[in-house]
Amino acid sequence: MSSSNVSYTPANSLTVINPGDYEINFWVDLVDVCARMVTIAIRRNGVNIPNATITRNIRSGMNTVFSGSIILALAAGDVIDMTLTLSSEDGNNFVNDVNASLTIKKIDN
């Protein structure tokens, strides 16, 4: 996929090159082996974006999809990433791999 207005450094993140309004879309698909709370958060500069943070109590063995979209003004140099947090230390073993997507698109000129 082509990219403009962002770079991929640091690793596993998107760094905004040009300031402006951006549409941020994300989804995560997982099956956990433990029943527990799972939080998916989109972060700007290491801080959770409140309207892009989802916490769910998931059941063992059930497929769970998290998804969201937000429009946000971003500054040049803002670093966007996604994090997954588990409520317990029962291990981070999932029945299947976790599949995830994070995209940002500049929507103003």
Side-chain angles (χ1 to χ4, degrees):
M1 173 182 281
S2 65
S3 64
S4 60
N5 298 318
V6 298
S7 69
Y8 298 108
T9 51
N12 301 312
S13 64
L14 301 166
T15 300
V16 174
I17 296 170
N18 298 311
D21 293 332
Y22 284 80
E23 178 184 24
I24 301 172
N25 295 292
F26 64 96
W27 67 263
V28 176
D29 184 359
L30 60 87
V31 177
D32 198 348
V33 298
C34 301
R36 57 183 153 191
M37 298 295 286
V38 174
T39 299
I40 302 295
I42 305 306
R43 301 185 304 180
R44 175 174 43 189
N45 303 322
V47 177
N48 290 1
I49 299 170
N51 292 336
T53 300
I54 302 171
T55 300
R56 289 196 184 140
N57 187 10
I58 63 174
R59 295 172 44 198
S60 177
M62 299 297 293
N63 182 270
T64 304
V65 176
F66 296 78
S67 65
S69 182
I70 186 171
I71 294 175
L72 196 61
L74 299 175
D78 277 350
V79 177
I80 305 299
D81 65 7
M82 179 169 28
T83 184
L84 180 149
T85 306
L86 306 172
S87 66
S88 68
E89 298 298 324
D90 294 336
N92 38 345
N93 297 319
F94 295 93
V95 172
N96 294 317
D97 290 335
V98 176
N99 296 298
S101 174
L102 172 64
T103 60
I104 65 173
K105 176 176 65 174
K106 193 168 189 300
I107 57 174
D108 70 348
N109 295 324

